[in-house]
Amino acid sequence: MRLIDKMERKLGRFAIPGLMKYVIACYIIGYVIEFAMPNVLSYLTLEPYMIFHYGQVWRLISWVLIPPSGSNIIFYIIMLVLYYQLGTVLEQTWGTFRFNLYIFEGILFTILGALLLYVIYGVNTPISIGGSFSTYYINMTIFLAFAVCYPDMRVMLYFIIPVKMKWMAIVYAVLIGYSFVESSWPGRVAIFASILNFLIFFATTRHMASSPRDIRRRRNFKKQVHQSRTTTGGAIHKCAICGRTELDDPNLQFRYCSKCRGNFEYCQDHLFTHKHVE
């Protein structure tokens, strides 16, 4: 977390607010190209051979326009609305920088997976693998990430059946596993790259995989920190019992009590001796 915190302090200003709007825009452009100019899609795929042998470097970026295959327009619309909502909530939960990091890491891992496969097959072997790479599995991991953060939230399956996100995530995980077994090696690499991004991200940001209640507590904590700076002469921490701050004694340790109802901070002398607020 320290590394990500440092990255956010240095690079946070470059994060793109509302990133899901641009992701959805890429999908819409891809769908328009697929329906209006299907032959153009072959010039957009992630083909390392074409990149290195013919200088078609735009393929390193243009592949994000490739839409999932084998779906109808109704599925497209439902999927776009669903992933826009999920991505927007995740950005609000994690913050703009971390959500950007999650999406761009998934894209980077997919590119690296394609390049690795290109090396394995042979750099001079003109094998087409680009059709297996799209943002489909990256978006699938958006769903999984949302389910980790909000496991008990209910969604209306087919607009009728209420299902908790954690059960939907299990179904998604099974489908991804089945696709991994049934796919060719390029498809497996695309799946593995997305899942690897999901695992690495949550392994390094464990505190994000928490309930909405914990998320609200962290937001309230930040508000209290801001308020304390203006009400206690610039101090960040203040004990709810004795009123001491770090300005009174720089050696004092302050903690929030998880058993109190609300956000109450206590110094080391009163953390374990105070009466819990019910």
Side-chain angles (χ1 to χ4, degrees):
M1 280 305 302
R2 292 181 180 178
L3 175 60
I4 294 181
D5 289 337
K6 291 180 180 178
M7 291 174 60
E8 184 171 11
R9 285 194 293 270
K10 293 182 178 180
L11 305 175
R13 63 182 182 276
F14 300 111
I16 304 172
L19 181 60
M20 280 307 297
K21 293 185 295 185
Y22 303 101
V23 173
I24 297 303
C26 288
Y27 261 115
I28 294 175
I29 294 172
Y31 294 146
V32 171
I33 293 175
E34 182 181 35
F35 290 123
M37 301 174 290
N39 294 332
V40 175
L41 285 180
S42 62
Y43 293 95
L44 304 178
T45 56
L46 182 57
E47 296 285 1
Y49 183 86
M50 305 300 291
I51 294 171
F52 289 103
H53 288 264
Y54 294 94
Q56 299 178 3
V57 293
W58 66 81
R59 292 177 180 268
L60 290 170
I61 300 175
S62 63
W63 67 273
V64 300
L65 299 175
I66 304 298
S69 59
S71 303
N72 56 48
I73 188 64
I74 301 300
F75 174 83
Y76 288 156
I77 295 174
I78 294 175
M79 185 190 68
L80 292 177
V81 173
L82 174 64
Y83 283 120
Y84 175 76
Q85 293 175 339
L86 298 184
T88 300
V89 173
L90 282 181
E91 181 176 345
Q92 295 172 351
T93 302
W94 294 345
T96 300
F97 177 79
R98 284 171 168 80
F99 183 71
N100 274 235
L101 184 64
Y102 186 69
I103 297 298
F104 288 121
E105 271 188 359
I107 292 174
L108 177 61
F109 285 164
T110 301
I111 294 174
L112 293 177
L115 296 179
L116 177 61
L117 198 62
Y118 165 70
V119 173
I120 293 174
Y121 277 141
V123 295
N124 294 317
T125 304
I127 296 178
S128 177
I129 62 175
S132 299
F133 295 97
S134 72
T135 56
Y136 173 70
Y137 292 110
I138 296 176
N139 287 333
M140 288 281 276
T141 57
I142 288 178
F143 187 95
L144 295 179
F146 187 91
V148 170
C149 292
Y150 297 90
D152 294 320
M153 179 175 288
R154 296 179 182 272
V155 295
M156 302 303 292
L157 184 63
Y158 299 114
F159 303 103
I160 300 175
I161 307 173
V163 182
K164 288 187 176 181
M165 288 295 298
K166 59 184 177 182
W167 304 123
M168 288 288 291
I170 292 175
V171 174
Y172 264 57
V174 171
L175 292 175
I176 291 175
Y178 177 78
S179 297
F180 184 86
V181 174
E182 293 295 317
S183 297
S184 60
W185 276 108
R188 292 172 182 171
V189 169
I191 295 172
F192 179 77
S194 298
I195 296 301
L196 181 64
N197 174 49
F198 171 80
L199 296 176
I200 291 177
F201 187 84
F202 275 93
T204 55
T205 56
R206 294 178 182 177
H207 78 288
M208 293 183 185
S210 55
S211 67
R213 179 182 177 184
D214 293 332
I215 294 167
R216 286 195 298 270
R217 285 174 62 89
R218 286 197 294 272
R219 288 177 178 173
N220 291 335
F221 167 76
K222 292 181 179 179
K223 290 180 180 179
Q224 286 197 346
V225 167
H226 176 72
Q227 292 173 356
S228 65
R229 288 175 177 172
T230 59
T231 59
T232 59
I236 297 177
H237 305 286
K238 181 179 179 180
C239 178
I241 301 298
C242 64
R244 288 185 297 176
T245 70
E246 74 274 16
L247 299 180
D248 298 312
D249 185 351
N251 295 320
L252 282 176
Q253 299 291 323
F254 296 87
R255 296 289 185 273
Y256 275 85
C257 179
S258 61
K259 295 182 180 180
C260 286
R261 185 180 181 84
N263 293 280
F264 293 92
E265 190 177 23
Y266 304 94
C267 68
Q268 61 197 35
D269 297 330
H270 297 106
L271 178 60
F272 300 104
T273 60
H274 70 275
K275 183 178 179 181
H276 296 302
V277 179
E278 300 295 338

